[in-house]
Amino acid sequence: MVAGPFHRALFAMPGKTARKDHRVSLFTRSRQLSDTTESGAEPDDDTAKKGRAEDGKPEAEPDTAPDSAPDAPPGPTRPGWFGWRHRWPRTARGVSVGTTVLAGVLVAFALLVPNRIEKIEFASFVRIPAEGVLLAGLLLALPPRPRRIAAVVSGVFLGLVTVLKFVDMGFYQVLARPFDLVLDWILLDDATDFLRESFGRTGQVLAVIGVLALLVAVLVLTTLAVVRLTRLMVRHRPVAARTILILGTAWITCMTLGVQIGTVPVATKGNAEFLGNRVDQVRAGLKDARVFDKQASVDAFAKTPPDQLLTGLRGKDVLFTFIESYGRVAIDDPAMAKQTDAVLKEGTGRLNAAGFASRSGWLQSPVTGAGSWLAHSTLLSGLWIKNQQRYRSLTTSDRMTLTKYFGKTGAWRTVGIVPGVRRAWPEGKFFGLDHIYDSEHLGYNGPYFSWTPVPDQFSMEAFQRLEHGKKDRDPIMAEIILASSHNPWSPIAHMIDWKDLGDGSVFHRIKKEGTDPTEVWKDPEKVRAEYRKAIEYSIRSLTEWLERYGDEDTVLVFLGDHQPVPTVLAGDTGKDVPITIVAKDKKVLDRVADWGWTDGLKPAPDAPRWGMDKFRDRFMTAYGPQG
C-alpha cells in the first residue's frame, strides 16, 4: 500500500509534536528559572535541585509517547510585565540593579538615621551599624523558609523603629523630648486639634493623610527592601559571607580604637541603645504611678483650719496669670533681650507711677514647648506634673490645690478666665473654681489668631466686665490663662485703645494686617521675631490692665508656663520661666522679702530659681499666720 500525503502526515505528526513539546517544556522551565533570578526571587533548595540527577547531571526529560501528547501544548510564559524583560533586557537589568541599590540605601538609612533632626549629618550615614551586621549574618545562616519569615519580620520591625524615630523628631522639635510610648498617645489628638485650629480643617486633613501615607510607605518599603537584599545575599552567598566578616571585623576594630568621623563614632549600636532606652522609659512610666501616689499623699496644709489659711491676703483680689510660652529665652537671648527688656522696663516704670511695686524670680517648669496644663497643675498642686499619667492621677484625686485652698477659706469667689478652652473641661471642677469663662463665654465676636481664640487684651477687659468691675462683690481669686503668645505666633494682635475693644469685631481688621504663619515658619528667624512680639503683646495687655483697673486690694502673680519650642530656643535647653508678684500694698511684698527676688518685672540672671512645684507651699507659708 502506497502511503499518501494524508497517511504520511498522520503518522509523522505525533513524533514532531513530542519533540516540540519537549522543546517548549525546556524553554518554559529555563525562562521560569531566569525570571526567578532576574526578579531577585530566592529559589527553594528543592526547586534548585529539579532538573538535576543524583550525580549532578541534568535529568533527561521523559519521553513523550505519541498517544500521551496533550491536545494543546502550553506556550512559553512571558517574563516581566507584559514581557517587557524580553523586549528591553538592558533596561530590565538597569531597573533590577537600581532597585537593589535603592533597597540598600533605604535599609542603611533606617539603621543609621538619628531620632533628632539636628543630629542628621553626613557622618551619621557612614557608620557601621552592629545591628545590620548581625541581622545579615543571621539571615544568611537560616534555612530558606525561616529565612523568608525572618526577613519579613525584620523589615516590618525596622520600619516601625524608623517611624518611631520620625515621631521622636517631631516631639523634639515641639517638646524637646522623645515620644513616650506609654503616656503620650493622647498628645497626638491634641496635635490634630492644633493643626485644625491653626491651619483650618483642610490643613488638618491633609496633614493626617500625609502622616498615614508616610507610615504605610515606610513599613512596606523597608519590608520589601530587606526581603530583596536577603535574596541577593543568598544568590551570592560566598561574597555576602566575606562582606559580613569584613564589616564585623571593622566594627570591632573601630569600637575598640574609638575611631570617629568628627564627633561621630564609626562603629555604632545606636538602634540597640535606642530600643533599650525605650524599654527603660516604659518601665519607668509604669513605676512612676506608684511613686506619684506616694508623693501626692503628703500635704503640709491638709489639716490646717480654714481660718488660718492665707490670712495675709484676706480682702485682696488675687490673680494668678499664666502667659503662654513666656520663657527665659525671651529675656536672655541676645536677639530678643533688648526689645523684651524695654517692654519690662516700661511696664515697671508705669506701674511704679501708678503706685505698684513688684518682685521677680525664676521657676523651673516641668515641660518645654507645649503641655501648658501640666505646668498649670504643677504650680497649683505643689506636685511635679511632668506627664499625662500624673495629670490624670492628680485630677481624679482629692489633692488640694492653691485655688481649692482659696475656696476652702470661704473668703474668696474663685473664677477662671480660660480663653484657650473650646470644649468641655471636666478637670475645671478639680481645681475648685466657682465659675469658668471659656472662649465661648467672654463675649468675643472677633476672629481667631491662628490657634488663639481670644486676644489677651480682650480677655483682660472681659475679666474686668464680667467679674472684677462689679460693685458690692466679694474678693476674687482668679486663674487667668492668656493665649496670644501661643504657637504659631502668627498672626498676632496688637494693643489698641481699651475703649475701642467693643465686642472684638475690631480685630478682624487687625488680623488682616498680621503675618501669614505658613510664610513665617519658613524662616526660623522670623519665627523668633514673631514670638518676641507676641510675648511683648501679652505683657503689655497685663500691665496696662493693672495700671488701668488695679487698686490697693489688687495682687497680681504672673508667670510663664514653659519655654517655647526648640525653633525659638535655638539650642537653649533650660526650662526656666519668669515669675513676678505685683501689689500696691507694701505689706504684701514685705511677706516675700526673704525670697531674694529682684525688684521690678525683670528677674536678675542670678535671682533665686525654684522648681515650679515648690511655689504652692512657699506662697501659702508666706501668706499664712506665721508669714
Side-chain angles (χ1 to χ4, degrees):
M1 181 177 182
V2 179
F6 174 79
H7 295 88
R8 288 196 298 269
L10 180 64
F11 288 102
M13 198 178 302
K16 293 181 180 178
T17 302
R19 286 192 296 274
K20 181 178 179 182
D21 289 347
H22 178 63
R23 288 194 299 271
V24 168
S25 177
L26 290 175
F27 175 78
T28 301
R29 177 172 297 175
S30 173
R31 289 310 308 159
Q32 287 174 341
L33 291 175
S34 174
D35 290 348
T36 302
T37 303
E38 289 182 6
S39 64
E42 175 194 345
D44 290 339
D45 292 347
D46 294 339
T47 304
K49 292 177 181 178
K50 288 180 179 179
R52 290 184 174 85
E54 292 183 359
D55 59 357
K57 297 180 181 179
E59 287 184 331
E61 287 288 329
D63 292 335
T64 306
D67 58 353
S68 64
D71 294 335
T77 59
R78 289 190 290 180
W81 294 337
F82 309 106
W84 72 276
R85 290 182 183 275
H86 263 331
R87 293 195 293 270
W88 300 290
R90 291 186 178 180
T91 302
R93 178 64 177 171
V95 170
S96 179
V97 172
T99 304
T100 301
V101 171
L102 290 176
V105 170
L106 178 59
V107 171
F109 175 85
L111 286 168
L112 295 172
V113 65
N115 65 335
R116 301 181 64 167
I117 292 177
E118 63 270 20
K119 290 186 176 181
I120 297 179
E121 55 183 307
F122 174 76
S124 301
F125 298 101
V126 293
R127 298 177 294 168
I128 304 174
E131 303 84 5
V133 176
L134 292 174
L135 177 61
L138 175 64
L139 292 174
L140 197 61
L142 289 173
R145 188 177 299 276
R147 180 189 304 127
R148 288 193 293 270
I149 296 173
V152 171
V153 172
S154 300
V156 173
F157 184 74
L158 185 59
L160 290 173
V161 171
T162 306
V163 168
L164 183 56
K165 289 181 180 180
F166 287 157
V167 175
D168 272 2
M169 291 179 192
F171 267 69
Y172 272 113
Q173 288 299 104
V174 177
L175 300 175
R177 65 171 179 81
F179 177 71
D180 192 311
L181 288 167
V182 176
L183 307 173
D184 281 343
W185 294 102
I186 189 174
L187 298 182
L188 301 181
D189 181 56
D190 293 332
T192 60
D193 288 344
F194 172 76
L195 289 171
R196 183 184 69 250
E197 293 153 359
S198 299
F199 305 103
R201 185 73 177 178
T202 301
Q204 178 198 29
V205 172
L206 291 176
V208 171
I209 292 174
V211 169
L212 292 177
L214 178 63
L215 171 64
V216 173
V218 169
L219 291 177
V220 172
L221 292 177
T222 52
T223 303
L224 293 176
V226 172
V227 170
R228 186 175 186 87
L229 294 178
T230 301
R231 289 169 173 169
L232 179 67
M233 288 193 304
V234 171
R235 290 201 309 274
H236 305 282
R237 186 181 294 271
V239 175
R242 287 195 298 269
T243 303
I244 293 171
L245 180 61
I246 292 171
L247 288 176
T249 303
W251 187 93
I252 295 172
T253 303
C254 291
M255 176 62 72
T256 303
L257 300 178
V259 178
Q260 294 183 333
I261 299 176
T263 59
V264 179
V266 172
T268 177
K269 50 182 178 178
N271 286 288
E273 294 174 348
F274 174 75
L275 295 174
N277 291 337
R278 287 316 163 92
V279 172
D280 292 341
Q281 184 188 62
V282 170
R283 289 175 178 171
L286 298 174
K287 181 180 179 181
D288 183 64
R290 298 190 296 271
V291 173
F292 181 72
D293 288 341
K294 184 176 180 180
Q295 293 172 347
S297 65
V298 179
D299 189 341
F301 298 93
K303 297 181 180 180
T304 303
D307 60 352
Q308 295 183 32
L309 292 169
L310 302 162
T311 54
L313 293 171
R314 297 299 172 103
K316 305 291 185 184
D317 294 319
V318 185
L319 318 178
F320 295 97
T321 306
F322 294 90
I323 297 179
E324 173 68 36
S325 299
Y326 178 31
R328 185 164 187 159
V329 67
I331 294 176
D332 287 354
D333 190 290
M336 310 180 204
K338 183 177 179 180
Q339 296 90 333
T340 306
D341 185 63
V343 171
L344 294 174
K345 282 185 177 179
E346 177 190 357
T348 300
R350 295 180 65 166
L351 290 176
N352 287 343
F356 289 93
S358 52
R359 303 283 188 278
S360 300
W362 302 104
L363 296 180
Q364 183 185 26
S365 176
V367 292
T368 295
S372 301
W373 61 95
L374 305 181
H376 302 166
S377 54
T378 294
L379 184 98
L380 298 176
S381 70
L383 296 171
W384 193 250
I385 311 300
K386 62 181 180 179
N387 55 48
Q388 195 65 21
Q389 177 176 269
R390 288 191 167 208
Y391 182 75
R392 290 198 199 97
S393 298
L394 172 69
T395 54
T396 55
S397 71
D398 57 359
R399 173 79 177 186
M400 290 295 290
T401 62
L402 189 55
T403 47
K404 278 184 177 179
Y405 276 123
F406 271 93
K408 184 179 179 180
T409 66
W412 282 274
R413 169 175 165 77
T414 58
V415 300
I417 307 295
V418 287
V421 174
R422 274 154 279 209
R423 54 188 178 184
W425 187 41
E427 295 90 344
K429 295 181 179 179
F430 164 77
F431 291 103
L433 300 173
D434 295 326
H435 193 82
I436 295 174
Y437 297 92
D438 59 21
S439 61
E440 301 297 324
H441 297 87
L442 294 175
Y444 180 68
N445 290 313
Y448 276 35
F449 284 77
S450 289
W451 182 90
T452 305
V454 184
D456 291 349
Q457 186 182 9
F458 191 94
S459 295
M460 294 307 301
E461 181 66 22
F463 170 62
Q464 177 66 23
R465 169 171 39 87
L466 296 169
E467 289 288 344
H468 189 264
K470 290 182 177 179
K471 295 181 180 180
D472 301 324
R473 59 171 176 78
D474 292 332
I476 298 171
M477 188 241 71
E479 178 188 2
I480 303 173
I481 303 174
L482 300 181
S484 286
S485 51
H486 193 288
N487 182 350
W489 310 300
S490 175
I492 54 176
H494 59 73
M495 297 299 296
I496 61 176
D497 193 305
W498 290 81
K499 296 179 182 178
D500 296 336
L501 287 171
D503 66 352
S505 298
V506 66
F507 285 101
H508 284 285
R509 173 181 56 80
I510 295 174
K511 180 179 180 180
K512 290 180 180 179
E513 297 170 354
T515 54
D516 182 351
T518 57
E519 292 298 321
V520 168
W521 278 83
K522 293 178 181 179
D523 184 352
E525 291 307 313
K526 289 183 179 179
V527 175
R528 287 157 58 79
E530 294 303 301
Y531 163 77
R532 172 184 57 77
K533 294 175 184 178
I535 294 297
E536 292 171 7
Y537 171 70
S538 296
I539 293 173
R540 285 197 172 104
S541 297
L542 194 55
T543 55
E544 286 190 22
W545 178 90
L546 186 59
E547 179 188 17
R548 182 179 178 86
Y549 297 115
D551 56 31
E552 288 287 339
D553 292 327
T554 305
V555 178
L556 171 65
V557 180
F558 75 93
L559 68 153
D561 49 13
H562 54 69
Q563 289 260 60
V565 297
T567 301
V568 176
L569 292 176
D572 184 353
T573 58
K575 293 186 176 182
D576 291 354
V577 297
I579 182 169
T580 300
I581 298 179
V582 189
K584 271 191 177 181
D585 189 345
K586 184 177 180 296
K587 295 178 182 178
V588 172
L589 294 181
D590 286 345
R591 284 186 173 247
V592 297
D594 61 344
W595 287 4
W597 286 15
T598 308
D599 289 343
L601 302 183
K602 177 185 176 182
D606 59 349
R609 173 177 172 267
W610 308 335
M612 195 175 279
D613 57 329
K614 305 300 181 185
F615 178 80
R616 188 202 76 158
D617 287 6
R618 294 195 180 200
F619 184 87
M620 294 186 66
T621 299
Y623 292 104
Q626 307 301 321

